[in-house]
Amino acid sequence: MSIARSSRFTTKGTSRVRVMMLRRKNPGGQKKSFDGTGEPLYLGIDFGTSGARYALVDKQGAIHSEGKRTYPPVGRVTNWASSWREALFHLLGDIPAIYRPSISSISIDGTSATTFIIDRNNGGILAGPYLYNESFADALPAVESIAPANHTVCSGSSTLCKLVSWWNSSSAGLSSRDSAILMHQSDWLLWLLHGEYGVSDYNNTLKHPELQLAQSRRMYAHRFPKNCVVCTGTTDSIAAFLAARTTEPGKAVTSLGSTLAIKLLSNARVDDARFGVYSHRLDDMWLVGGASNTGGAVLRQLFTDDQLVALSHEIDPSVPSLLDYYPLPKRGERFPVSDPNMMPRLQPRPESDTAYLHGILESIARIEAKGYNLLKELGASMVEEVLTAGGGARNDKWTAIRGRVLGVPVRKAEQTEAAYGAALLALKGANTMH
């Protein structure tokens, strides 16, 4: 499928931009070249917590173009949905014109459990978007009554809890419920391009497939999107893992962005909602992992980018820090260990800013190590090497600290951006179609 043209239309007073995606016909079987490469290109777009990126690759995985956009500010007039939509179409417009006719398929990743409730009649947003870290504990009793024990949906921030909470709220009238359909962030962004309702991907819907079967006679079941045969989207941490192009059990990828996410390729499947641990099928193995709210967002609350660079340069990563912090934003923790002290802990602060940063970086590394140790205790393959993706991969001193704390080789992945992983997924999806 390729981007052929864009059109603007109005539905019940709502103006939207859509990209019409049309299959290219080539009966002669010859490769049709528009950009001089002699082959089609594959577009991946990553919607992270602070901005969006794109990567355009060929079938060998070579990058032909890439770019990024920060989200427009969210305020009285704009919301997250309009901010994401604007970023999406700006990114598409940033792609050099010479490459656009060669785009064969598109994949978009978004933050897991970021959720919309959409009106299928007109595409209007009935509720949300609810962000990945928003919790709806009021829905937990209802969800726990129908979910398997320790299922990953038994968390206040799960997609199902968000849907059930809205369903039971006073704002969800009878007519709204009848026309409601759930979309994950990547579902909605792709819908802006292809215009079809009820389309999702395996990675996002993995967190509720058992529920779709178990409660097929219950009121919520038909609100969920159908799995796609061809992957069109995924979650941000899955895309980051795909970008690393690692295929052996025991290999792991830690995404160090605004938050921390760990993914380990394992021979065994592991799922335990008590710790936010779940598994995705990846070919004939399992991708096991979870996420923590610690990470770059906390660092940016305390230091500027220039300070992070300068202070990191002064750190000796071979010397352990004696400072013991739990660096979290105000929203609290979602992974990885059952610790009664999982509250933000960034005191005492030493006089030296270098020592303070050293303590925080090492404390985040300890959280990462606890996460991988927990996966092992639950039955996953033992971690043997960790590749790093995201902005934190650029900090060599932090990489050295993490290697010492984790006790395994830690290195920067050759490709660290989730957008690259999404592009590889677009390539795989195109090959599946053909």
Side-chain angles (χ1 to χ4, degrees), residues 182-420:
L182 179 143
M183 285 188 179
H184 307 97
Q185 182 187 27
S186 57
D187 302 339
W188 183 78
L189 291 163
L190 283 162
W191 169 76
L192 294 176
L193 305 184
H194 58 58
E196 295 184 18
Y197 292 106
V199 177
S200 190
D201 64 274
Y202 175 80
N203 298 139
N204 274 301
T205 59
L206 178 76
K207 298 182 181 180
H208 47 72
E210 294 95 338
L211 296 178
Q212 287 179 277
L213 298 174
Q215 61 175 23
S216 59
R217 294 183 298 275
R218 295 176 181 265
M219 65 179 70
Y220 307 121
H222 69 287
R223 305 299 162 190
F224 287 98
K226 300 170 290 186
N227 284 350
C228 276
V229 176
V230 177
C231 294
T232 55
T234 187
T235 66
D236 51 349
S237 58
I238 294 288
F241 188 92
L242 295 175
R245 309 187 85 167
T246 185
T247 59
E248 299 175 10
K251 303 294 185 180
V253 173
T254 295
S255 298
L256 289 174
S258 298
T259 58
L260 180 150
I262 66 174
K263 296 291 181 186
L264 169 67
L265 202 54
S266 171
N267 288 318
R269 176 176 180 172
V270 174
D271 297 279
D272 198 320
R274 294 173 301 169
F275 307 109
V277 173
Y278 52 90
S279 297
H280 291 269
R281 170 69 74 176
L282 192 62
D283 296 327
D284 60 346
M285 287 182 285
W286 294 96
L287 193 54
V288 183
S292 167
N293 284 338
T294 193
V298 179
L299 292 172
R300 290 183 180 278
Q301 291 175 0
L302 301 169
F303 305 100
T304 66
D305 288 348
D306 289 342
Q307 286 176 322
L308 286 172
V309 172
L311 294 174
S312 295
H313 183 72
E314 299 174 0
I315 293 174
D316 182 351
S318 66
V319 178
S321 171
L322 300 180
L323 296 170
D324 183 22
Y325 301 134
Y326 209 102
L328 291 175
K330 294 180 180 180
R331 288 187 184 275
E333 181 60 301
R334 53 183 169 148
F335 179 80
V337 289
S338 182
D339 182 342
N341 297 317
M342 278 187 183
M343 297 295 291
R345 188 171 72 251
L346 289 165
Q347 297 294 333
R349 178 166 183 163
E351 293 184 4
S352 167
D353 288 341
T354 299
Y356 190 44
L357 176 61
H358 187 175
I360 294 173
L361 295 180
E362 186 138 343
S363 296
I364 295 175
R366 294 187 196 115
I367 295 172
E368 180 185 2
K370 288 180 181 179
Y372 283 118
N373 288 335
L374 176 64
L375 298 186
K376 178 187 174 184
E377 292 170 8
L378 294 175
S381 297
M382 181 183 298
V383 62
E384 297 177 357
E385 182 183 36
V386 175
L387 304 180
T388 311
R394 296 190 293 267
N395 192 321
D396 293 336
K397 297 295 182 73
W398 197 5
T399 298
I401 290 172
R402 292 169 50 233
R404 172 171 50 77
V405 173
L406 271 65
V408 298
V410 176
R411 61 183 175 88
K412 179 180 177 181
E414 186 174 338
Q415 295 291 341
T416 63
E417 297 298 341
Y420 183 79

Side-chain angles (χ1 to χ4, degrees), residues 17 25 35 39 47 58 120 134 161 175 180 214 233 248 346 348 371 381 398-399 416:
V17 177
K25 305 286 187 179
D35 65 344
E39 57 187 359
F47 274 75
D58 59 28
R120 70 173 75 237
E134 290 187 66
C161 277
S175 60
E248 299 175 10
L346 289 165
S381 297
W398 197 5
T399 298
T416 63

Side-chain angles (χ1 to χ4, degrees), residues 1-3 41 43 56 95 99-106:
M1 303 176 78
S2 63
I3 298 178
L41 300 175
L43 176 62
L56 190 62
I95 298 171
Y99 294 132
R100 296 175 194 169
S102 296
I103 297 176
S104 177
S105 61
I106 299 174

Side-chain angles (χ1 to χ4, degrees), residues 101-145:
S102 296
I103 297 176
S104 177
S105 61
I106 299 174
S107 178
I108 297 179
D109 75 74
T111 51
S112 178
T114 294
T115 308
F116 292 83
I117 311 295
I118 303 294
D119 188 333
R120 70 173 75 237
N121 293 328
N122 56 28
I125 298 174
L126 296 174
Y130 302 123
L131 301 185
Y132 67 96
N133 54 2
E134 290 187 66
S135 181
F136 294 81
D138 60 289
L140 272 175
V143 170
E144 290 174 342
S145 71

